[in-house]
Amino acid sequence: MTPRHGVSRTIRTQVAIVGAGPAGLTLACLLAGAGIESVVLENRSRAYVEERIRAGVLEQGTVEVLDAAGVGERLHREGIVHHGIYLQFAGERHRIPLSELADGRNIVIYGQTEVVKDLIQARLDAGLALRFEVDGVRVHEIETDRPRVTFAHQGERFELECDVIAGTDGFHGVCRPAIEEHLRVFSRDYPFAWLGILAAAPPSSDELVYAHHERGFALLSLRSLDRSRLYLQCAADERLDAWPDARIWDELQRRVALEGWTLVEGAVLEKGIAPMRSFVSEPMAHGRLFLAGDSAHIVPPTGAKGLNLAIADVSVLAEALVDWYRTGSDAGLAEYSATCLRRVWRAEQFSYWMTSMLHRPGDDPFEDQLQLSQLRYIVSSEAAARTLAENYVGLPLDHSRAQASVVRGA
Ligand code: FAD
Ligand code: PHB
């Protein structure tokens, strides 16, 4: 192969994967299991990708996909299974028995950092292509059947020829902008953000606590039996240096206070502010470029859906690619975007609903009363609690079709 101008080496693979987050790495493992070759390109270092603290709640369906990708072993050993969550408001804490309400399904607490570490280790153990710290990734000729990705790595310019490109490069990546003119974008910004900490403290509650409070939302989560993960609603333009550790603990103590119960404090190991955004770009594919995960959609974290959606996308994409390579049928690829978007919009609605119900949008007593009424309804009506539970544990991939048949009485 003669390299093109400015390119020192041309390489060839079946699927080029841009971005080594949970979406790209899971796709690579699923494809490898089916004998499909891929190259994963990541612009950050391995250490950066492995230490980036984000999500912590895995739906059962996500665990099943990670099992299928061959990376479930440590997850089953160290992950903590939960069967419920608490909603706290008006000074009381109420348990929502997720598994009882949602057909026995559960959630597993296992940090995104750990999922990413497991996926990277599996990839490297298998001796498969995964390049960190690449530069200047660009996608080309995606409307042809010979798309290419160009990039620089360790001082050399490469051209990666492939059949298909997976754009799993997150919200700030280069893949979605490359097809911007073909996309319709839907978005919503929120007038608040989350300040999150990781603390060297055992979790104070046996299950997650989502707290509605007049001073703003708070969430108690965990990563392990000696690490708590806690969040506070803060202003969208909040500065981290305005929040020394003592102020964070003081605010958490006020928002989650409950008689006869104490929030255990500990050293703050990490803290950061995450913006809240809803975003969907449609369709999730153009030509031979397929977007998956945060590159195509973002949800506010209140529903714990971001990571789970990313994994659901790539399980649909992997299945469609396997079918295409094995039978030549492109039916799955043609349906990829529509199949994913049904689930994406369900998660968008659920995340928006949880966010609107639990956060203080400003000084609006009317909104406050609506939120409290909705929360009271959830803890007093099994139908309302079931709606929350079904969505929280994650609906099956083809839920839209299943629901249509329930309505027809089929
Ligand atoms: P990412 O994890 O974003 O992975 C994309 C990868 O592509 C990254 O490694 C990035 O470095 C790489 N990349 C980007 N540009 C390029 C390029 N040009 N070339 C090569 N590589 C590139 N979800 C929850 O459910 N709960 C939470 O608490 C939560 N907290 C979050 C906090 C923050 C600050 C953020 C940003 C997200 C959070 N999320 C949370 C969402 C969840 O973490 C994401 O939905 C999930 O990471 C999506 O996975 P992904 O693989 O699609 O994208
Ligand atoms: C987390 O543990 O980081 C977490 C849990 C639940 C959420 C969001 C984040 O809704």
Side-chain angles (χ1 to χ4, degrees):
M1 253 181 279
T2 317
R4 274 166 249 244
H5 182 67
V7 168
S8 52
R9 277 178 63 192
T10 298
I11 39 185
R12 157 112 205 117
T13 192
Q14 290 177 294
V15 181
I17 300 178
V18 184
L25 290 165
T26 303
L27 178 63
C29 280
L30 290 170
L31 294 178
I36 297 169
E37 200 184 274
S38 65
V39 171
V40 185
L41 303 174
E42 166 62 48
N43 64 357
R44 302 289 197 152
S45 68
R46 179 179 180 185
Y48 181 91
V49 170
E50 289 188 343
E51 296 311 322
R52 196 166 38 191
I53 300 181
R54 290 183 169 178
V57 174
L58 307 185
E59 294 174 5
Q60 197 169 311
T62 298
V63 173
E64 284 159 15
V65 175
L66 293 172
D67 276 336
V71 292
E73 196 263 329
R74 189 164 71 100
L75 157 58
H76 286 288
R77 204 162 12 96
E78 295 179 16
I80 305 171
V81 178
H82 280 192
H83 297 283
I85 56 169
Y86 294 100
L87 290 180
Q88 181 168 332
F89 58 95
E92 288 181 3
R93 196 171 285 179
H94 305 260
R95 182 167 190 265
I96 307 294
L98 296 174
S99 301
E100 251 173 62
L101 293 164
D103 233 1
R105 295 173 81 78
N106 57 43
I107 51 166
V108 177
I109 308 301
Y110 191 67
Q112 181 169 328
T113 47
E114 306 316 296
V115 172
V116 166
K117 282 179 203 158
D118 294 343
L119 287 161
I120 290 175
Q121 198 58 54
R123 183 83 185 160
L124 298 179
D125 285 350
L128 297 173
L130 164 55
R131 292 171 185 244
F132 291 102
E133 298 180 72
V134 302
D135 269 326
V137 172
R138 293 283 173 275
V139 298
H140 310 272
E141 289 162 58
I142 55 166
E143 290 177 349
T144 73
D145 59 6
R146 274 279 170 274
R148 294 178 296 120
V149 181
T150 52
F151 64 96
H153 191 219
Q154 295 172 340
E156 260 190 290
R157 289 281 325 153
F158 289 86
E159 177 181 62
L160 177 58
E161 290 189 345
C162 55
D163 302 325
V164 163
I165 301 171
T168 53
D169 50 349
F171 187 66
H172 300 289
V174 294
C175 290
R176 189 184 66 255
I179 54 169
E180 211 156 36
E181 62 193 307
H182 305 285
L183 302 178
R184 182 165 180 208
V185 166
F186 304 83
S187 71
R188 169 91 17 127
D189 287 325
Y190 299 85
F192 40 76
W194 276 16
L195 193 166
I197 61 166
L198 180 70
S204 304
S205 166
D206 57 340
E207 293 174 328
L208 273 62
V209 180
Y210 288 80
H212 175 277
H213 193 272
E214 59 191 16
R215 297 176 66 87
F217 171 72
L219 169 62
L220 304 184
S221 181
L222 66 154
R223 285 293 177 275
S224 64
L225 297 178
D226 58 5
R227 290 285 181 273
S228 295
R229 178 83 173 140
L230 310 103
Y231 297 95
L232 283 173
Q233 176 186 348
C234 62
D237 58 356
E238 195 72 66
R239 290 167 49 99
L240 205 51
D241 55 18
W243 287 87
D245 298 355
R247 181 178 174 206
I248 296 175
W249 284 116
D250 183 52
E251 195 58 36
L252 282 165
Q253 292 287 6
R254 289 172 188 232
R255 294 190 195 180
V256 298
L258 196 67
E259 253 193 59
W261 172 90
T262 13
L263 174 65
V264 181
E265 300 187 8
V268 175
L269 306 174
E270 197 265 354
K271 62 179 154 181
I273 293 180
M276 306 276 275
R277 186 184 287 124
S278 297
F279 175 93
V280 181
S281 71
E282 293 190 11
M284 285 171 56
H286 181 75
R288 290 285 179 95
L289 173 62
F290 295 84
L291 303 179
D294 277 18
S295 75
H297 42 73
I298 297 279
V299 284
T302 329
K305 290 284 160 247
L307 169 62
N308 293 295
L309 278 182
I311 302 292
D313 286 352
V314 294
S315 82
V316 176
L317 183 55
E319 203 175 303
L321 284 169
V322 170
D323 198 36
W324 184 52
Y325 278 114
R326 286 202 181 139
T327 69
S329 163
D330 68 356
L333 289 175
E335 276 297 302
Y336 167 71
S337 175
T339 303
C340 290
L341 284 167
R342 278 194 292 273
R343 184 183 187 83
V344 166
W345 276 112
R346 178 88 302 280
E348 290 287 343
Q349 190 280 334
F350 176 66
S351 305
Y352 171 84
W353 177 69
M354 288 284 280
T355 302
S356 315
M357 175 171 75
L358 289 163
H359 292 74
R360 195 170 173 80
D363 199 14
D364 183 349
F366 185 79
E367 180 67 29
D368 232 31
Q369 292 307 319
L370 293 183
Q371 291 178 336
L372 289 168
S373 167
Q374 180 68 42
L375 286 160
R376 279 195 299 269
Y377 181 48
I378 291 172
V379 302
S380 57
S381 152
E382 189 180 305
R386 192 183 299 281
T387 297
L388 190 153
E390 279 186 352
N391 283 277
Y392 195 90
V393 301
L395 288 152
L397 256 181
D398 56 353
H399 72 92
S400 299
R401 265 171 244 145
Q403 279 166 1
S405 54
V406 168
V407 172
R408 279 199 306 273

